[in-house]
Amino acid sequence: MFKRFTASALVILALVAGVFYTNPFGIFGEKIYASVPGNQAPAISAVDLNGTPTNVEFQGSLTVINFWATWCPPCKAEMPEMEAFYQANAGKIAFYAINIQEPADRVQSFLKSGRYNMPILLDGSGEAARAYRINAIPTTIIVDKSGKVVFRKSGAMTKSELDQAIALVRQ
C-alpha cells in the first residue's frame, strides 16, 4: 500500500514539476524566463541622467545591456572595460549601462570621477531589473537585431570577453 502511494505521489509531483518547468509564466502570470537566451527581450523604460524618459526597444540593432551599481565592487572593476567596449563600438552596437536604484547625483559623481561617457539609464524603481530577473550584478545581456536575448552573463566581463560574445552572436 505504502509503495503504491509513494509511486503515485512521485508521478503527480513529476507532472506538476513538468508543467512549471515548461510553463514560461509564473504562478501569477508574470513572464519568468524573459531574459533567458532565445526568448524575446522585454522593452525597457527608464530615464537618462538628465531625467529624460527613454524607451529601449530591440528591433534592428544589436544591443548590449549592462546592469550595475556604484556600490558594487565587481561593477566598479568592469566599468573601464565597458567604457572601452562602448568607445570601440559606438554607432555600431547599441549600448546601455543601466544603474539599479541609485540617485542620479551619486551616479553622475561616480561617472565623472571615472571619466565614463557611455550611455547610462537609471532604473530607479528596479522595474527593468525585475523584468530581466537580475539577481546578481553586474549582469550583461546581448539582444540580437530581432529582439531575442542571445547572451547573458552574471559577473564582471572584460572588453575582450564582450568582443568574443559579440563575434559568436554575429556568426
Side-chain angles (χ1 to χ4, degrees):
M1 171 90 168
F2 182 72
K3 285 184 180 182
R4 187 181 313 163
F5 174 75
T6 303
S8 298
L10 287 175
V11 168
I12 291 170
L13 181 61
L15 288 172
V16 170
V19 167
F20 282 107
Y21 179 75
T22 58
N23 179 12
F25 296 93
I27 295 170
F28 301 107
E30 78 276 14
K31 190 106 171 155
I32 60 173
Y33 297 117
S35 64
V36 172
N39 291 337
Q40 195 68 28
I44 296 172
S45 295
V47 296
D48 66 15
L49 289 171
N50 297 318
T52 305
T54 303
N55 292 318
V56 179
E57 297 174 0
F58 307 103
Q59 298 299 320
S61 66
L62 196 58
T63 305
V64 173
I65 308 164
N66 178 261
F67 287 91
W68 68 285
T70 64
W71 52 262
C72 162
C75 300
K76 290 178 184 180
E78 84 169 358
M79 287 303 275
E81 299 288 328
M82 291 292 129
E83 179 69 21
F85 176 83
Y86 167 70
Q87 293 298 332
N89 293 284
K92 297 181 261 181
I93 296 173
F95 182 93
Y96 299 96
I98 301 179
N99 178 274
I100 302 173
Q101 297 180 315
E102 292 189 279
D105 59 341
R106 182 180 304 151
V107 175
Q108 286 173 327
S109 176
F110 175 82
L111 296 170
K112 185 176 180 181
S113 69
R115 297 186 196 147
Y116 302 123
N117 297 306
M118 67 188 96
I120 303 292
L121 295 178
L122 302 174
D123 184 22
S125 67
E127 182 180 328
R130 279 190 298 281
Y132 279 84
R133 296 291 192 210
I134 303 301
N135 18 351
I137 54 173
T139 293
T140 303
I141 296 168
I142 301 174
V143 180
D144 71 9
K145 293 177 181 184
S146 69
K148 298 242 187 245
V149 174
V150 291
F151 176 88
R152 178 184 176 118
K153 180 187 176 195
S154 293
M157 289 192 74
T158 64
K159 178 185 179 299
S160 175
E161 288 174 317
L162 201 43
D163 287 338
Q164 290 172 5
I166 294 291
L168 287 173
V169 167
R170 287 185 167 158
Q171 288 182 355

